[in-house]
Amino acid sequence: MAFDVSADAYGRFMGCYADPLAAQFVAQTGAHPGQRALDVGCGPGSLTAVLVELLGAASVSAVDPSEPFVAAIRTRFEGDVDVHCASAEKLPFADDTFDLTLAQLVVLFMADPESGLSEMARVTRPGGLVAASVWDHGGGCGPLSVFWRAVLEVDPQAHDESGLPGVREGQLSELFTTAGLRDVQSSALTVRVPFATLDDWWEPYTLGVGPAGDYVARLDDEQRADLRACCVKLLPPAPFEIEASAWIALGRT
């Protein structure tokens, strides 16, 4: 998966959606000062920043398998956040370390989602909260839905993100239950992101981030132009707004 990219590239591609989602996501968890939290798959820090503002940097830890993202977190928070280069399936923390362990837009990309969620539960204290969010790629309501609709129109054999773990209604909560979490609750959140021009929307897809970036990077100039033209047909005239929904799951250890 193409996440070994700069923090700036990821931020330009997904930050405009991930930042507002993070604020809503944390609000759903009921997180409050005095708690210690872990951000699993922190990326360049959309969720980390919300946790730091609420809990203080000394109470927040973060992990990501991407070295550029880990470096970005260290720079962004001036070394005050405890951050490690690690995967969700092998968290470098002792049992029962955190009150709250969260993963924003990560479960769908875990090599083993059940193992990753079980690890999140392991490092969370008894009675603590594990929480995750994933875009509704399965229901066609994620931030990349127009892009993938265009891809499938010009390339019907392409693979979109609708088959990734947790992206269909009910799947994320099922993964939580399988991982042994209790009192699992699910809900949906929606963000709306404005774009002033078509290029503001299109250009981030050319930065090589994630499955969408992988797909665009494999196209030649003519294919890329055809895909862009198809996107233009599916999008409203600029300026326009993209509405994106995410599934949320919360569970107790």
Side-chain angles (χ1 to χ4, degrees), residues 195-245:
F195 291 89
T197 69
L198 175 69
D199 284 340
D200 288 343
W201 178 87
W202 169 256
E203 190 266 345
Y205 286 93
T206 69
L207 301 177
V209 182
D214 277 345
Y215 183 85
V216 173
R218 293 195 297 268
L219 302 178
D220 60 32
D221 289 344
E222 182 177 354
Q223 291 170 325
R224 190 174 297 194
D226 288 344
L227 176 58
R228 186 181 185 279
C230 189
C231 289
V232 170
K233 289 193 305 181
L234 296 175
L235 288 164
F240 57 84
E241 189 175 75
I242 296 293
E243 183 175 285
S245 296

Side-chain angles (χ1 to χ4, degrees), residues 84-146:
H84 301 263
C85 190
S87 69
E89 294 84 355
K90 195 172 183 179
L91 297 174
F93 304 101
D95 296 358
D96 309 337
T97 299
F98 301 97
D99 302 295
L100 175 65
T101 303
L102 309 93
Q104 172 162 293
L105 311 178
V106 174
V107 172
L108 67 168
F109 297 121
M110 289 180 180
D112 184 342
E114 182 180 342
S115 175
L117 290 169
S118 295
E119 268 288 271
M120 290 173 65
R122 178 187 66 78
V123 301
T124 306
R125 65 167 176 79
L129 188 70
V130 173
S133 65
V134 295
W135 292 123
D136 180 17
H137 294 311
C141 296
L144 313 182
S145 294
V146 170

Side-chain angles (χ1 to χ4, degrees), residues 138-164:
C141 296
L144 313 182
S145 294
V146 170
F147 170 82
W148 286 117
R149 282 172 57 199
V151 167
L152 292 173
E153 190 167 313
V154 300
D155 181 9
Q157 302 306 312
H159 295 286
D160 61 13
E161 297 178 55
S162 64
L164 294 174

Side-chain angles (χ1 to χ4, degrees), residues 6 28-29 34-35 41 43 80 84 101 150 177 191 205 212 230 234 238 247:
S6 71
Q28 287 280 306
T29 70
Q35 290 183 311
D80 293 331
H84 301 263
T101 303
T177 300
V191 299
Y205 286 93
C230 189
L234 296 175
W247 301 116

Side-chain angles (χ1 to χ4, degrees), residues 2-10 42-45 64-76 83-85:
F3 289 107
D4 190 19
V5 296
S6 71
D8 178 68
Y10 181 88
C42 59
D64 199 282
S66 168
E67 287 281 8
F69 292 167
V70 170
I73 291 287
R74 288 175 176 150
T75 299
R76 180 173 182 176
V83 59
H84 301 263
C85 190

Side-chain angles (χ1 to χ4, degrees), residues 21 25 103-105 107 131-142 165-173 176 185-190 244-250:
L21 178 66
F25 180 31
Q104 172 162 293
L105 311 178
V107 172
S133 65
V134 295
W135 292 123
D136 180 17
H137 294 311
C141 296
V167 301
R168 295 187 179 275
E169 185 173 6
Q171 286 184 339
L172 189 57
S173 56
F176 268 51
Q185 300 178 16
S186 62
S187 61
L189 297 175
T190 299
S245 296
W247 301 116
I248 307 296
L250 310 175

